[in-house]
């Protein structure tokens, strides 16, 4: 530490104890006490004398906040995605931004698979069928028929950490794996036999399409009305990345018109999903509230990583999960100042 006064940290939600305890032990910490997110005005107020912010993906962290926060040195996000943070602006101002990659990879891949299996075999629909008293005939040859996963073609859009973990699972299901990314991934090709194809080919040939790209200017509405024209009528779309990667309106139209068999979505253009979303009216859709990384173990580990990033930074080191390395040129970590 460079001085005896503890850095002030504002935490925008109660994060799991394993991380929060470490933060509270080291820093002068204040936590937003409610279950829902703090209004932006509150973050602005709290940022005024904060040295650090701990944020979630639902907090919009932009120039308006940075303008109000002359002491702010680091934004430590508890998520792998950080599209809610204006990283360019942060870098310009010498503010470090960190995230929590790696620890949620397998958990998120598990969940993408849970959605894939559930939509293919109509698990959620079947549960509703039983609960609603519609199960009147013991066994019927054509009751709630789904699609085989084993041996089908899986198209993975984005084979970074999570997309690769999805591919490894697919290999065990004897799937033909196609992938599209901005760069080839020879490692995943070697490990799983995945084939690199262009996006249109992937959409045309896949039985299941799973999206694993970060949200950027380039990936906004990557799956749009035009591209949805390529997909098979019998295909399913799974999205555990970010909602705006898929044009939700175009997806709804495709699902409603039977140009796509179904979709399983954990992320949405607007979260929480508005209660009047037309997607809620479709039976061939599974909707979950952005919980792909939500296991006890993983969320605890994510919170711990947040603490580790903050501690490293205030000990004068480059935090381990820095997403804007150029910031070091603008402002070296505190002990080196
Ligand atoms: C969750 O969506 C995350 O980015 O960690």
């Amino acid at each position: 530490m460079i001085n005896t006064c503890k850095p002030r940290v504002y935490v925008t939600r109660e994060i799991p104890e394993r991380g929060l305890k470490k933060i509270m032990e080291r820093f002068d910490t204040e936590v937003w006490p409610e279950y829902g997110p703090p209004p932006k005005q509150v973050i602005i107020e709290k940022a005024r004398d904060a040295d650090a912010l701990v944020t979630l993906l639902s907090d919009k962290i932009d120039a308006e906040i940075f303008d109000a926060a002359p002491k702010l040195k680091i934004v430590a996000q508890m998520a792998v995605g950080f599209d809610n943070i204006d990283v360019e602006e942060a870098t310009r101002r010498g503010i470090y931004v960190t995230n929590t990659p790696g620890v949620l990879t397998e958990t998120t891949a598990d969940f993408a698979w849970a959605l894939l299996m559930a939509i293919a075999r109509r698990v959620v629909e079947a549960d509703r069928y039983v609960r609603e008293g519609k199960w009147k005939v013991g066994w019927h040859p054509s009751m709630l028929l789904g699609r085989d996963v084993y041996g089908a073609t899986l198209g993975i859009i984005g084979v970074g950490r999570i997309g690769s973990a999805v591919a490894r699972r697919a290999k065990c299901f004897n799937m033909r794996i196609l992938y599209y990314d901005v760069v080839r991934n020879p490692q995943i090709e070697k490990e799983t036999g995945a084939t690199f194809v262009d996006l249109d080919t992937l959409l045309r040939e896949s039985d299941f399409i799973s999206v694993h790209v970060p949200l950027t200017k380039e990936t906004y509405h990557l799956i749009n009305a035009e591209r949805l024209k390529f997909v098979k009528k019998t295909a399913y779309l799974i999205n555990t990345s970010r909602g705006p990667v898929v044009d939700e309106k175009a997806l709804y139209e495709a699902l409603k018109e039977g140009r796509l068999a179904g979709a399983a979505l954990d992320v949405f253009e607007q979260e929480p999903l508005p209660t009047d979303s037309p997607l809620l009216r479709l039976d061939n859709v599974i909707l979950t509230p952005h919980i792909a990384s939500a296991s006890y173990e993983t969320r605890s580990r994510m919170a711990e990583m947040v603490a580790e990033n903050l501690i490293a930074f205030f000990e004068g080191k480059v935090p381990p999960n820095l997403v804007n390395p150029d910031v070091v040129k603008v402002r070296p970590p505190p002990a080196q100042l």
Side-chain angles (χ1 to χ4, degrees), residues 57 78-82 100 104 240-242 267 290 293 299 302:
L57 54 88
M78 189 181 126
V80 65
F82 46 84
T100 60
L104 47 73
T240 51
S241 63
R242 284 293 183 268
V267 289
H290 204 150
S293 69
R299 288 286 166 86
M302 288 164 73

Side-chain angles (χ1 to χ4, degrees), residues 36-69:
K40 184 148 188 215
Q41 203 46 44
V42 170
I43 306 184
I44 290 175
E45 283 307 314
K46 299 296 181 183
R48 286 195 201 288
D49 61 352
D51 296 288
L53 291 176
V54 171
T55 56
L56 304 188
L57 54 88
S58 44
D59 304 315
K60 190 160 175 44
I61 307 297
D62 56 12
E64 201 186 352
I65 289 182
F66 300 146
D67 281 346

